[in-house]
């Protein structure tokens, strides 16, 4: 037990690799060896998969708005300030969705890049 005093934090780290590993992975990427090429392809694949998923999500939401208008007549005939609700949603409410998707894309793409850099520095 402690007597109320805070003990200093101690960082416990497994043995670190030094020198050769850092230089070798960076050289492999710079010289475009098979290992470096595989690492870069995995980054590109991760970025592509991210963009495809977010584009598919965005398109599903955008196509669902008029589809709901076709399936639910009360929704398609409802008006707000003299404008039909589906047009109002497509004209105004979609922009925050697009900004949100863009924000998520940038955050996840940066995370992919940081993971790639951490892999190189590992």
């Amino acid at each position: 037990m402690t007597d109320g005093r805070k003990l200093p934090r101690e960082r416990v780290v497994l043995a670190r690799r030094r020198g050769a590993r850092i230089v070798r992975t960076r050289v492999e990427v710079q010289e475009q060896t098979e290992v470096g090429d595989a690492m870069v392809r995995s980054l590109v694949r991760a970025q592509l998969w991210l963009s495809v998923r977010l584009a598919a999500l965005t398109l599903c939401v955008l196509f669902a708005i008029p589809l709901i208008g076709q399936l639910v007549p009360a929704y398609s005939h409802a008006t707000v300030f003299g404008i039909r609700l589906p047009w109002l949603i497509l004209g105004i409410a979609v922009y925050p969705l697009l900004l949100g998707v863009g924000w998520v894309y940038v955050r996840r793409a940066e995370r992919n890049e940081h993971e790639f850099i951490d892999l190189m520095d590992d």
Side-chain angles (χ1 to χ4, degrees), residues 62-84:
L62 291 178
F63 284 134
I65 295 169
L67 183 63
I68 292 170
Q70 290 292 322
L71 299 175
V72 182
Y75 164 76
S76 68
H77 295 300
T79 60
V80 177
F81 303 118
I83 302 171
R84 288 193 175 175

Side-chain angles (χ1 to χ4, degrees), residues 42-60 101-102 104-110 112:
S42 72
L43 174 64
V44 170
R45 191 178 312 119
Q47 300 291 50
L48 176 65
W49 180 239
L50 172 65
S51 64
V52 167
R53 285 184 297 169
L54 288 175
L57 173 73
T58 304
L59 289 175
C60 286
V101 169
V104 168
Y105 177 78
V106 168
R107 298 283 298 194
R108 299 267 172 110
E110 286 176 349
N112 287 343

Side-chain angles (χ1 to χ4, degrees), residues 4-80:
R5 291 182 288 163
K6 290 186 178 182
L7 297 174
R9 288 188 167 206
E10 185 175 323
R11 185 174 180 187
V12 178
V13 180
L14 296 176
R16 294 184 181 188
R17 295 181 184 180
R18 293 195 177 142
R21 178 74 177 147
I22 294 173
V23 172
R24 190 177 68 200
T25 53
R26 286 188 180 169
V27 168
E28 287 173 351
V29 171
Q30 289 172 351
E31 291 181 356
Q32 298 176 348
T33 64
E34 283 186 38
V35 174
D37 189 40
M39 291 172 66
V40 171
R41 276 188 282 132
S42 72
L43 174 64
V44 170
R45 191 178 312 119
Q47 300 291 50
L48 176 65
W49 180 239
L50 172 65
S51 64
V52 167
R53 285 184 297 169
L54 288 175
L57 173 73
T58 304
L59 289 175
C60 286
V61 170
L62 291 178
F63 284 134
I65 295 169
L67 183 63
I68 292 170
Q70 290 292 322
L71 299 175
V72 182
Y75 164 76
S76 68
H77 295 300
T79 60
V80 177

